[in-house]
Amino acid sequence: PDVVLATAPTTDIRRTEAPLAIVILDLRFEILPHEFTGARRMMRRISYGRSYQLASGFLAISHRSLDDLHRLHPETSAKPSGVSYLGADHVSSWPTPSRTGPAIAFAHHSNKNPELLIDAWAQLKGQGYDQPLLFLGVGGAIREALTHRIAQHGLSESVQLSPFLDDDEFQRAIASARMIAFPSSFEGFGLPIVEGMALGKPVVIGPDPGCLEIAGGHAAVSAAWTPEA
């Protein structure tokens, strides 16, 4: 080949004859290591580190990710690099958008802050705002804890938990959402932000640099990761 494009940093441990361009998604495992197991951190540190050595250049999905790469691995700044944002044009084939469904949030990783959003929803209910909220991607490990928290706040009627959905169900859920609530504490990009915006949804984010970059001033931004904010 003329060039090898690695869509994730983990690549072959051997040096390729063709130039190797590596896509940088995010460096969360280094910046927030407590969110990963020791084994996963070690695996990524070894495999990513070897790929950084072999790479001829880097393509990051945000300036935030590229800045993190250069800051944490200064030797990479000597190689060609660029930023190419992910697109949202795929939503044009999704169901016709409406705002007839619940607010949509996510719980498939700890950085999505589902507990924070449940606490915030409880405060909103106390202020007379009792609207439905649906969490997507709720796996078995976190389901029990979130169910307990929802019950503690008396939100069992309005806050629902859903496992990972198939593509059609996911698209229908996002297309009908009344808003996207995305208070993530760390994102390399944050695809639900642009998906929601492309479908005409109000989007609420936290003050994470990656989310702020991708929203481009078009989201409602909380001042901090607190229920009050």
Side-chain angles (χ1 to χ4, degrees):
D2 295 320
V3 65
V4 175
L5 178 64
T7 54
T10 301
T11 58
D12 199 329
I13 63 173
R14 299 167 298 179
R15 190 173 300 278
T16 61
E17 294 184 10
L20 173 66
I22 291 178
V23 175
I24 302 299
L25 304 177
D26 66 64
L27 279 76
R28 183 164 67 96
F29 85 98
E30 292 188 74
I31 297 173
L32 299 176
H34 60 279
E35 295 185 354
F36 296 81
T37 64
R40 187 172 294 273
R41 291 198 305 271
M42 179 179 295
M43 182 273 291
R44 291 194 179 190
R45 186 164 56 248
I46 294 172
S47 62
Y48 286 17
R50 176 57 177 166
S51 295
Y52 297 158
Q53 294 175 354
L54 298 177
S56 305
F58 302 96
L59 184 64
I61 61 173
S62 66
H63 289 283
R64 187 260 173 84
S65 291
L66 186 59
D67 291 345
D68 286 343
L69 175 70
H70 289 168
R71 175 173 56 85
L72 295 172
H73 302 275
E75 70 281 2
T76 62
S77 61
K79 298 181 179 181
S81 59
V83 171
S84 181
Y85 291 132
L86 302 178
D89 55 325
H90 55 277
V91 305
S92 62
S93 63
W94 289 11
T96 302
S98 67
R99 294 187 189 174
T100 57
I104 294 293
F106 301 86
H108 53 290
H109 290 301
S110 58
N111 60 303
K112 309 306 179 188
N113 282 323
E115 298 90 351
L116 170 64
L117 200 51
I118 292 170
D119 294 348
W121 225 252
Q123 292 200 15
L124 290 170
K125 182 179 180 180
Q127 298 168 12
Y129 181 88
D130 189 15
Q131 298 294 326
L133 172 66
L134 175 64
F135 283 98
L136 301 182
V138 184
I142 196 174
R143 177 174 288 274
E144 184 176 350
L146 293 185
T147 299
H148 179 68
R149 201 181 197 98
I150 290 168
Q152 276 188 316
H153 286 306
L155 295 172
S156 299
E157 294 298 319
S158 53
V159 179
Q160 304 298 318
L161 306 177
S162 169
F164 284 98
L165 303 177
D166 64 32
D167 288 350
D168 289 342
E169 291 178 308
F170 178 82
Q171 292 169 15
R172 286 196 296 269
I174 301 298
S176 65
R178 66 187 61 200
M179 65 179 288
I180 303 297
F182 199 72
S184 176
S185 56
F186 191 103
E187 292 295 325
F189 186 87
L191 191 57
I193 297 173
V194 293
E195 288 177 336
M197 289 180 175
L199 291 169
K201 312 293 180 181
V203 177
V204 181
I205 62 174
D208 168 67
C211 291
L212 291 171
E213 178 183 347
I214 299 311
H218 299 287
V221 182
S222 62
W225 287 285
T226 65
E228 295 77 13

